[in-house]
Amino acid sequence: MAFQFTEEQLNTLDKSFIVELFLQLQEQNDKLSGEIQDLNRKMELLIEQATLSNKNRFGRSSEKMDDASQICFMEIDGTIVFFNEAEAVSDLDAEEPETLESKPARKPKSVGKKDADLSGLPVNIITHYMTEEELVAEFGENGWKQLPDAISKRYRFIPAKVEIDEHHVGVYASKKDGRIIKADHPQALLHGSLVSPTLAAAIMNGKYVNAVPLYRLEQEFSRYGLSITRQNMANWMIRLGESYLAILYDYLHQKLYDYHVIQADETPVLVHRDGRPAGSKSYMWVYRSGHLYKAKQIVLYDYHKTRNSSHPREFLKNYSGICVTDGYQVYHKVEKERENLRIAGCWVHARRKFDEAMNVVPKEQRKKSNAYLIMKQIQAIYREEGKLQELPPDERLMQRQLVIKPLVDALFVYLKKMEPTVPSSGQLRKAYTYILNQEKYLRVFLEDGEVPIDNNASERAIRGFCIGKKNWQMIDTINGAHSSAIIYSIAETAKANNLKPYDYFVYLLEEIPKHMEDTNRSFLDDLLPWSPNLPDGIQKTDNQGCREAALNFGRYSLLSVYLLSVYVYFVNVKPLALAN
């Protein structure tokens, strides 16, 4: 226990001693006060982290604001002026309504939707008619007439059907010199393997489109009498990706350079056997054509063991244009090295930082918080941008300069004004630091009508891979990772161009092997997902998408609607001359 002076003892102490004692106590108090403040700041950071962790774990993933009211601000003569929606859209010349009673909104009934959903499907007509005797007993002789049939329609689901395609190839020999020839026939995809284009496409569609791990596909195949192991399927995917689909992948990579605007993102992935300690992160990078280019979409995955700048530098070495990314510094580093490459920022990432800052504020105080006000201003920017989606680039650029640029200017004036008042640590400081550091890149979309406001399209393009890796956890080998990148690229490009991935995979695996000896790659133009020469049935219409969604009960049940063909070759190679 610390020593304590009594009143009598203090009265006997020398004045100089008491002064010195007081100064020591004052110094200790200042020191303790600083430590308490530091502990309070750390406690606030821990509470913020715990709040965000609980939201990410248990809360909804949507970042949509619950408050539908619209508030934004403008800069007028150096002053920030706030206004609400009523002030923004008021019209003093508008006529008064005749009645103040609100009319209930009634959604117009969709006419012919059921027939549209059923169009294109094969129809089996099943008749239900009464016999002549039953009609006479009911109405009497000649007492009835035939009316139009009452027709009702129902879906009929047909489970998987496994067949063997047994190719008998004619073998012929000359009686004179014993020369042997065979009739023309399709070559096997992989020498000595039973895999066919339809079977390979079913596996690709199952894993890379519907995120079904290979062990589940193995179980599904076994239910239909096919003894195919996951090791077989993994080997097939690697060999088919490297041998055939990589040819189209490289061609799409060249085509991507033709776009003025592209977008990029990356996500971590674990690769089991990559020569590093267990748990080492690898990365799957994704590059895609600009979101505002509605036709001829390209989505490409690129696997690498690290996340350093050498990878985008290599992938984009022949590209000239604008690349939309998040705030990852490696893209900015590559931009500084190149005169013909410009980086544009992502407003969704900027907004997300303030959403995180707002979520750590007590709920009853959020609408008064600085983060809330900034998010409302970003909401106003997005509201105006949303009105420009269907405009051509030149008109979109003009409207951005007239309407959106003043909102962006006002936002950054307000941010710079309020920045000195923001605490030195915490989520709000992180949000301010991010958006102010990214200002140069966040303004790029105001200068080019082809640049999207955010990088959401890249995040959507990589979402299929992220869903898949939650199911299969990791990729086994580096070769598997590279092949997965190729197959995911073809699948996502097909989806982006409204193709049916399974049918597209079948078509590619049937056509590319025919041209393996070609030195001219011009045949690839006919295989591009927007080629007018694609067979009928590969392009997906809107009502086909509805039908597929209705028929696909679960992720891996989609596999069961495809016809699996296994090529088995029985070739009699004994010379016919000897038979004679």
Side-chain angles (χ1 to χ4, degrees), residues 39-241:
L39 288 173
N40 285 337
R41 283 194 295 268
K42 291 180 179 179
M43 181 63 71
E44 289 175 359
L45 291 176
L46 289 173
I47 293 174
E48 288 185 357
Q49 292 173 6
T51 302
L52 283 179
S53 177
N54 286 335
K55 179 185 179 295
N56 292 335
R57 185 177 181 186
F58 302 111
R60 64 175 189 171
S61 58
S62 173
E63 297 175 3
K64 184 178 180 180
M65 298 186 72
D66 295 327
D67 185 8
S69 63
Q70 298 176 6
I71 302 173
C72 63
F73 44 82
M74 297 287 290
E75 179 193 6
I76 301 178
D77 296 331
T79 303
I80 298 296
V81 178
F82 294 85
F83 60 89
N84 59 28
E85 181 183 17
E87 295 168 342
V89 300
S90 62
D91 183 1
L92 299 179
D93 297 327
E95 296 181 0
E96 290 290 329
E98 296 180 0
T99 176
L100 296 179
E101 295 181 2
S102 61
K103 296 181 180 180
R106 178 176 295 179
K107 186 178 180 180
K109 185 176 180 181
S110 179
V111 179
K113 182 178 183 303
K114 182 183 290 186
D115 290 337
D117 289 344
L118 298 175
S119 64
L121 286 174
V123 177
N124 298 320
I125 298 177
I126 304 173
T127 59
H128 307 276
Y129 294 128
M130 297 175 67
T131 64
E132 185 78 20
E133 292 77 10
E134 291 173 334
L135 290 170
V136 171
E138 182 68 27
F139 299 106
E141 191 71 32
N142 295 325
W144 55 274
K145 62 179 180 179
Q146 182 79 39
L147 299 178
D149 293 349
I151 300 175
S152 63
K153 298 180 180 180
R154 301 175 183 87
Y155 284 117
R156 178 184 180 88
F157 178 76
I158 303 175
K161 180 183 178 184
V162 180
E163 295 179 346
I164 301 296
D165 285 349
E166 185 175 289
H167 293 252
H168 290 249
V169 181
V171 182
Y172 309 93
S174 171
K175 293 183 178 180
K176 295 181 179 179
D177 55 11
R179 182 170 55 90
I180 299 175
I181 61 171
K182 298 178 183 177
D184 290 337
H185 61 281
Q187 298 295 322
L189 277 178
L190 301 174
H191 181 70
S193 173
L194 298 175
V195 66
S196 67
T198 51
L199 179 59
I203 297 170
M204 292 175 180
N205 190 78
K207 179 174 180 180
Y208 300 99
V209 178
N210 294 320
V212 186
L214 291 182
Y215 80 90
R216 290 188 193 170
L217 292 178
E218 180 182 5
Q219 295 170 353
E220 182 77 359
F221 281 129
S222 67
R223 296 184 186 103
Y224 295 97
L226 287 177
S227 179
I228 302 176
T229 67
R230 70 196 75 174
Q231 290 79 15
N232 291 145
M233 290 184 277
N235 290 336
W236 292 344
M237 296 302 100
I238 292 174
R239 295 174 64 187
L240 293 175

Side-chain angles (χ1 to χ4, degrees), residues 11 14 28 69 195 206 256 261 283 304 322 324 339 346-347 366 388 440 445 453 485 500 536 550 561 568:
N11 288 329
D14 183 65
Q28 290 178 6
S69 63
V195 66
L256 188 65
V261 178
Y283 286 87
H304 289 286
I322 298 175
V324 183
E339 294 182 356
C346 173
W347 276 90
R366 286 180 185 174
L388 313 179
K440 167 187 172 183
F445 85 105
I453 190 173
K500 292 184 277 188
D536 295 336
V561 301
V568 181

Side-chain angles (χ1 to χ4, degrees), residues 280-306:
S280 298
K281 282 186 179 181
S282 297
Y283 286 87
M284 191 68 80
W285 302 67
V286 64
Y287 303 87
R288 60 156 298 143
S289 52
H291 170 60
L292 295 177
Y293 304 126
K294 301 300 181 181
K296 300 183 178 181
Q297 294 281 307
I298 296 176
V299 180
L300 297 180
Y301 284 71
D302 188 32
Y303 165 77
H304 289 286
K305 292 170 65 174
T306 63

Side-chain angles (χ1 to χ4, degrees), residues 540-554:
K540 184 178 72 175
T541 59
D542 291 339
N543 56 341
Q544 283 177 327
C546 296
R547 291 199 300 269
E548 289 178 2
L551 290 175
N552 297 337
F553 301 128

